[in-house]
Amino acid sequence: MQKIIAANWKMYKTRAQAAQSAASLAAGLRTVPAERCVLVFAPFTCLDVVAQAFAQNPALACGGQDCYPADEGAFTGEISPAMLLDCGATWALTGHSERRHILGEDDALVARKTIFALEKGLNVMLCIGEKLEEREAGNLSAVLERQIHSVFEAMPEGQSLDGRFAVAYEPVWAIGTGKVAGHAEVLEAHAVVRTLLQGVLGNAAERLPILYGGSVKPANAAGILALDNVDGLLVGGASLDAQSFLQIVGV
Ligand code: 13P
């Protein structure tokens, strides 16, 4: 399976800074190895700039960090899937831990966003992951099951997901903390996610990429990427600097 290396720029970068970073990535990734696909989840305000810089290279794409599940309407501050597509984005993140835990999104809203974005033609990366207290209470599997099932219970029959859907496992305690999950923890969680996906999708689950995110750096990226059931990386802090992200992509 092609490995997806994704950057999540979160709420960083002006348009000028984004243009500079995207140009450095496009230049550094002129020949992306065939087994890699590179995504940048940029702030809404920079998406057109990033999409433009990536336009000549089919191995690079950009996405929004969120979207609202409606075509248009009185939803102040929100951005629809159509607006993301209009800016040149082809992907959206849903359920990022910062949206769940800082902005209060629940499983039902994450499910609505995921399904609506897929229906409207975006590819979706669904983020899941447990908090430290949930892990310590032995609830890893139960949390991942709840987060995955809430989406699939609401998914319409026959929704095509091949090449359009990925899951990012990001343990909340490893995000932005410098505390990367150990290889055994990544292996355990990714195996749980694969089994849960098999339960809802059968054999098709083999083709769904599962990414790891949480304190990925150039020094630990290759080791994590080589683990069973790790089909990519979702990188926050270390993606802000183009050279550091290029090292993680492995070029
Ligand atoms: P860090 O790589 O900064 O830990 O962030 C991970 C993340 O939240 C990516 O979505």
Side-chain angles (χ1 to χ4, degrees):
M1 192 189 302
Q2 209 184 27
K3 303 264 188 190
I4 301 176
I5 313 296
N8 176 6
W9 286 352
K10 307 193 180 187
M11 199 176 74
Y12 290 96
K13 294 189 192 289
T14 61
R15 286 168 62 77
Q17 290 166 336
Q20 201 169 29
S21 296
S24 301
L25 294 182
L29 295 168
R30 248 181 230 121
T31 51
V32 183
E35 66 281 4
R36 291 275 192 279
C37 152
V38 175
L39 305 178
V40 172
F41 292 99
F44 296 138
T45 49
C46 310
L47 279 172
D48 60 332
V49 167
V50 178
Q52 214 166 12
F54 288 179
Q56 303 309 320
N57 189 335
L60 309 182
C62 69
Q65 298 168 9
D66 183 35
C67 64
Y68 192 76
D71 284 318
E72 59 182 5
F75 304 108
T76 301
E78 295 300 316
I79 298 285
S80 70
M83 290 167 173
L84 291 182
L85 290 163
D86 187 42
C87 290
T90 49
W91 281 81
L93 283 182
T94 56
H96 190 277
S97 110
E98 286 141 20
R99 299 214 58 90
R100 291 179 190 265
H101 303 302
I102 300 175
L103 294 151
E105 291 192 9
D106 62 10
D107 289 324
L109 180 57
V110 173
R112 279 172 57 214
K113 289 182 172 192
T114 304
I115 290 159
F116 193 81
L118 283 166
E119 273 172 15
K120 295 296 162 178
L122 283 166
N123 304 329
V124 174
M125 187 176 293
L126 168 71
C127 302
I128 59 172
E130 83 289 3
K131 294 193 271 192
L132 186 58
E133 59 267 32
E134 292 169 329
R135 168 172 282 268
E136 286 175 347
N139 291 334
L140 170 71
S141 298
V143 170
L144 299 181
E145 179 175 333
R146 194 198 72 226
Q147 291 174 334
I148 288 180
H149 281 183
S150 59
V151 170
F152 281 94
E153 275 159 13
M155 185 90 72
E157 195 79 14
Q159 172 68 59
S160 98
L161 297 177
D162 259 0
R164 308 195 46 218
F165 184 69
V167 173
Y169 168 67
E170 300 200 295
V172 179
W173 47 272
I175 296 178
T177 58
K179 254 192 240 160
V180 66
H183 286 187
E185 290 162 321
V186 177
L187 281 167
E188 180 195 9
H190 280 237
V192 169
V193 174
R194 185 74 72 199
T195 303
L196 288 166
L197 291 173
Q198 277 160 347
V200 284
L201 292 168
N203 291 339
E206 294 305 319
R207 298 190 297 274
L208 280 194
I210 306 172
L211 287 76
Y212 170 79
S215 296
V216 173
K217 307 279 179 252
N220 60 28
I224 300 171
L225 201 55
L227 298 173
D228 264 3
N229 286 313
V230 176
D231 308 307
L233 301 168
L234 179 55
V235 188
S239 74
L240 293 173
D241 174 70
Q243 295 316 315
S244 136
F245 187 61
L246 287 170
Q247 272 180 274
I248 292 171
V249 176
V251 292

